[in-house]
Amino acid sequence: AESDRIVDEALADPAGLDTLAGVESRRGEGHFSLRWILVHLSEEYARPNGHADLLREAGDGQTGG
């Protein structure tokens, strides 16, 4: 709920998806934008779902969902 509230506040800001994170990257790459964070979170959530699909398809021989 706290994360949702923070994202909602950031999106309400005029900078929107270009709002920069308050904490700098651990690798010294600067501050990531909300857009970058959300895209990479989506990629991370999609990856295990793709792996689960591959395992299911290997078991039942069917593709698609």
Side-chain angles (χ1 to χ4, degrees):
E2 177 73 7
S3 295
D4 288 345
R5 183 189 63 74
I6 292 169
V7 170
D8 289 343
E9 284 180 12
L11 291 175
D13 186 277
L17 290 172
D18 294 322
T19 300
L20 296 178
V23 178
E24 191 170 333
S25 157
R26 290 183 295 214
R27 294 185 227 148
E29 298 168 318
H31 297 264
F32 294 116
S33 70
L34 179 58
R35 179 186 322 274
W36 187 94
I37 293 167
L38 293 175
V39 165
H40 287 276
L41 280 173
S42 296
E43 289 174 344
E44 288 301 314
Y45 281 120
R47 188 168 293 123
N49 289 335
H51 292 161
D53 285 342
L54 290 173
L55 292 172
R56 182 194 51 78
E57 290 169 6
D60 66 15
Q62 302 226 349
T63 60

